[in-house]
Amino acid sequence: MRQVLAILRRGAGDPTFRTDDDGTVWRGVRTPEGPATLRLRQDPDGTVQATAWGSGAEWVLLSVPAMLGADDDPSGFVPHHDAVAAMHRQHPHWRIARTGLVLEALVPAIIEQKVTGQEAFAGFRALVHRFGERAPGPGVERRLWVQPAPATVRGIPSWEWLRMHIDPARSRAVVGAARVASALERTVGLPGDEVDRRLRSLPGIGVWTAAEVRFRAHGDADAVSFGDYHVAKNVGWALTGEAVDDAGMAVLLEPYRPHRYRVQRLVELARAGRPRRGPRMAPRTHLPT
């Protein structure tokens, strides 16, 4: 369960995602029916117990099977590399989540554009803490939060974005997406190419951001994170022993259509990427505090 849900967590300090010592997962979710606190607990036999509170409780409970990968169909996935076959055997029960919540995935993805993970996660935490709300029911005592509503996002002034260390290019993209939130949510269930087209028609949304949304909100098994600083290098290293660029990754993954994202994620789950050497990239310090 936690392996499937891991992609929904935006850093260790994500205020909308908490994990107990016993493996229980808590999520603060803004559903079309309102905010909800969702608790997911897996029994030793694999059964998942789901409980929810708040006005969005019924909606989020109905979404749990898809969130845990029940709608993911890996049939037809054939490993064309020995490394992929080994990773697939290592993680045979992993499935792709589908939340059905587009803006929930899109807002943090935009904030993560072209910055370090440290800076991105800090910006997302600041946005949720300043403009989100406490998750209902036991979410309060769990220090669980829900992302801000689209109307709230649309009203955040420019100087507040700067205080959160989110530059104008990213803040404009977030606000622009919030303005068409209803239309974005209606993309759930559409073919992947059409979802990609609609997402990328928005200013500030490129191939990387669209893919990050498609595999989380839409459960798209073919959405590849082209343009990522690490993904192509890691996929190339895992499959061939050499780092490649986006063009090289596209060639390597072409035989896997329509399961290219499945390979990307298996590499991540197996921690099969290239070794990290040298210092990490430092976060920017020139934005106002």
Side-chain angles (χ1 to χ4, degrees):
M1 179 189 76
R2 291 174 63 184
Q3 189 180 72
V4 172
L5 296 174
I7 61 167
L8 305 182
R9 188 177 192 177
R10 316 313 278 243
D14 184 347
T16 70
F17 194 114
R18 305 290 189 198
T19 305
D20 290 346
D21 292 339
D22 65 357
T24 298
V25 171
W26 296 79
R27 294 196 65 220
V29 183
R30 183 171 299 283
T31 79
E33 306 298 329
T37 291
L38 175 64
R39 182 184 68 193
L40 297 169
R41 178 176 295 160
Q42 190 165 25
D43 296 336
D45 65 359
T47 302
V48 175
Q49 305 290 339
T51 312
W53 296 261
S55 55
E58 183 177 0
W59 191 98
V60 80
L61 286 174
L62 291 174
S63 78
V64 166
M67 188 188 303
L68 296 178
D71 293 344
D72 180 34
D73 182 8
S75 63
F77 176 66
V78 179
H80 295 276
H81 297 81
D82 290 342
V84 175
M87 291 183 286
H88 193 224
R89 288 193 299 270
Q90 185 180 355
H91 301 282
H93 302 298
W94 167 74
R95 294 292 182 268
I96 299 173
R98 180 173 71 85
T99 66
L101 295 170
V102 179
L103 201 67
E104 177 190 82
L106 181 55
V107 168
I110 294 172
I111 293 174
E112 291 168 13
Q113 292 174 350
K114 300 179 181 179
V115 295
T116 65
Q118 178 183 355
E119 185 177 350
F121 297 149
F124 179 65
R125 288 196 302 270
L127 174 67
V128 174
H129 284 145
R130 290 192 189 192
F131 298 100
E133 61 186 277
R134 289 286 194 177
V140 175
E141 63 187 60
R142 296 286 174 174
R143 297 175 294 108
L144 195 66
W145 290 74
V146 177
Q147 285 194 39
T152 301
V153 172
R154 294 193 294 266
I156 299 174
S158 59
W159 59 87
E160 289 289 354
W161 290 104
L162 291 174
R163 287 174 179 169
M164 295 183 285
H165 289 256
I166 299 172
D167 58 68
R170 289 181 293 153
S171 64
R172 283 195 298 267
V174 172
V175 173
R179 288 184 178 131
V180 294
S182 297
L184 290 174
E185 302 302 341
R186 291 196 294 270
T187 64
V188 175
L190 295 178
D193 289 348
E194 179 62 16
V195 173
D196 185 68
R197 185 191 69 78
R198 295 193 186 192
L199 286 170
R200 293 172 65 186
S201 70
L202 298 176
I205 309 300
V207 60
W208 179 85
T209 307
E212 293 284 312
V213 173
R214 286 165 54 197
F215 63 67
R216 289 183 174 92
H218 302 82
D220 190 339
D222 204 47
V224 183
S225 299
F226 290 110
D228 191 273
Y229 186 79
H230 299 290
V231 170
K233 298 180 181 72
N234 289 339
V235 169
W237 184 275
L239 272 57
T240 70
E242 296 181 1
V244 301
D245 57 13
D246 277 352
M249 180 171 67
V251 172
L252 288 173
L253 295 183
E254 184 61 28
Y256 291 96
R257 286 182 184 267
H259 296 279
R260 292 178 298 169
Y261 169 68
R262 205 175 298 279
V263 178
Q264 173 185 323
R265 185 58 181 159
L266 283 172
V267 170
E268 294 166 354
L269 290 172
R271 301 181 184 276
R274 78 196 193 290
R276 300 287 182 91
R277 298 186 178 91
R280 292 178 178 267
M281 184 184 298
R284 299 175 301 168
T285 58
H286 62 275
L287 292 175
T289 57

